[in-house]
Amino acid sequence: MNLETHLSEHDEDVKQVILRVAEIAKTISKGFAARRGASDSSNVYGERQAAMDVWADDLLISALRGSGLVRHVASEEQPGVLTFDGSASDLGVTIDPLDGSSLIGVNLTVGTILGIHRGGVLRPGEALLGAMYVLYGPLTTLTYCLRDGVHEFTLNGRGEFTLHEEYVTIPEGKIFSPGALRRDWLPAHRAYIEGLEAEGYKLRYSGSFVADVHQILHRGGVYSYPAYTGGEEGKLRLLFEAAPMGFVVSQAGGAASDGRRDILSIKPEAVSQRVPVYIGGKGEIRLIEDMTGQES
Ligand code: AFP
């Protein structure tokens, strides 16, 4: 079954946005060879943008503007929220055009992450209508969730996204993906990771959040990028990374936390807000919340 058919029961405007992003993803997937290096610009976080970051951001914003269905867009690569007056629908979309882009130069998997809201974008993850991500790896895959299961599609040789797996659920598993420098970990997080190691959890960390969480979704375990010494708010962005991926994994039977509370309950105060992140199986998320709770 192709993506368009699979989406047929959903709201027309949401469906059209996903299909447009899927079209852009096909273009993005073909653009890496010509844009492997850095651009000469930096984003709002002071990070040097990859040439692919800038290009993918332009493509996605143009497509969303051109759809006439999206009123607000917040992008990790833009300083503020873009507003398109005159759009026929009131969708608000968050985009991380190319998550993990520092890995482009070494040809590891990176991805595009989207969150879809009705109304503005400064809303908690629990208010998301849906979320999706595209992975550019050995295969290009698209995973979407509109509160009715998590579904994965593969871009085939004919340039069509076809169904790979429906109603994905996170299994029990023993993989952990721990971000940030070990020497900077705070005591509760350190004890948590040591506990997982003692339980035989296997380390799998690429430095591409979207790819690492995708692996956890399919293999079980937990991804973490904690609060750390010198980075008490964590590194990852609530709006662009944590909320949409946390939404997908939660809809697949897992959970997402900042170590104390459900990430999806956090109302963002700023577009660029960072948050400590734990995403994975319910057991692993309960454990970090228990350990952090005991500490305070
Ligand atoms: P961007 O490539 O979108 O800036 O994201 C990179 C990232 O936020 C996330 O994808 C990684 O998990 C994390 O940074 C990696 O950080 P470290 O380099 O500190 O491991």
Side-chain angles (χ1 to χ4, degrees):
M1 186 189 295
N2 71 20
L3 180 60
E4 183 164 7
T5 308
H6 202 267
L7 283 163
S8 57
E9 301 294 312
H10 291 286
D11 280 359
E12 189 59 25
D13 50 357
V14 175
K15 174 182 154 186
Q16 287 306 327
V17 165
I18 293 178
L19 290 175
R20 285 195 182 228
V21 171
E23 286 307 308
I24 297 303
K26 293 177 192 173
T27 307
I28 292 173
S29 71
K30 294 189 198 123
F32 289 93
R35 296 172 191 81
R36 229 173 140 169
S39 72
D40 47 16
S41 55
S42 299
N43 65 15
V44 61
Y45 309 94
E47 299 161 346
R48 173 64 69 92
Q49 291 170 301
M52 279 298 290
D53 274 329
V54 176
W55 184 64
D57 191 43
D58 284 350
L59 286 174
L60 287 162
I61 290 173
S62 306
L64 294 173
R65 183 193 287 119
S67 74
L69 297 169
V70 176
R71 191 155 303 153
H72 301 289
V73 173
S75 163
E76 192 183 288
E77 302 304 328
Q78 299 287 330
V81 179
L82 306 171
T83 299
F84 307 137
D85 293 324
S87 97
S89 180
D90 64 346
L91 296 177
V93 177
T94 64
I95 48 177
D96 184 346
L98 225 42
D99 182 60
S101 53
S102 68
L103 298 178
I104 292 168
V106 291
N107 190 29
L108 289 185
T109 297
V110 297
T112 299
I113 308 173
L114 259 91
I116 306 173
H117 285 282
R118 184 77 65 195
V121 289
L122 278 182
R123 298 163 65 82
E126 64 197 7
L128 281 161
L129 290 182
M132 65 181 281
Y133 62 90
V134 179
L135 283 185
Y136 311 101
L139 294 168
T140 296
T141 62
L142 183 156
T143 300
Y144 88 86
C145 171
L146 292 174
R147 294 186 172 271
D148 178 25
V150 173
H151 313 295
E152 185 178 325
F153 294 77
T154 305
L155 185 59
N156 67 19
R158 297 185 305 282
E160 207 185 8
F161 279 107
T162 54
L163 185 62
H164 170 65
E165 188 178 344
E166 252 183 330
Y167 299 101
V168 176
T169 55
I170 182 170
E172 301 257 321
K174 289 195 167 181
I175 290 179
F176 71 124
S177 307
L181 292 180
R182 184 176 272 261
R183 67 171 188 219
D184 295 333
W185 288 349
L186 302 175
H189 180 76
R190 181 181 301 277
Y192 176 65
I193 296 295
E194 285 171 0
L196 297 179
E197 286 167 340
E199 290 290 322
Y201 278 63
K202 198 179 269 186
L203 178 70
R204 291 278 189 269
Y205 185 84
S206 75
S208 167
F209 169 70
V210 62
D212 288 333
V213 172
H214 177 77
Q215 178 168 207
I216 298 292
L217 173 65
H218 285 277
R219 298 276 187 265
V222 62
Y223 175 94
S224 60
Y225 208 113
Y228 58 94
T229 303
E232 281 70 13
E233 295 178 341
K235 175 180 181 189
L236 302 188
R237 276 51 62 134
L238 174 59
L239 225 53
F240 306 113
E241 295 167 310
M245 294 303 286
F247 177 86
V248 170
V249 173
S250 298
Q251 293 279 321
S257 174
D258 69 353
R260 295 176 186 278
R261 61 191 160 153
D262 190 338
I263 274 185
L264 303 182
S265 71
I266 302 174
K267 166 125 178 50
E269 283 161 19
V271 169
S272 57
Q273 189 167 329
R274 296 179 193 267
V275 69
V277 170
Y278 297 82
I279 296 180
K282 278 190 174 147
E284 286 86 352
I285 300 306
R286 207 175 305 123
L287 182 61
I288 184 60
E289 289 187 344
D290 287 348
M291 292 177 78
T292 312
Q294 278 166 24
E295 199 188 40
S296 49

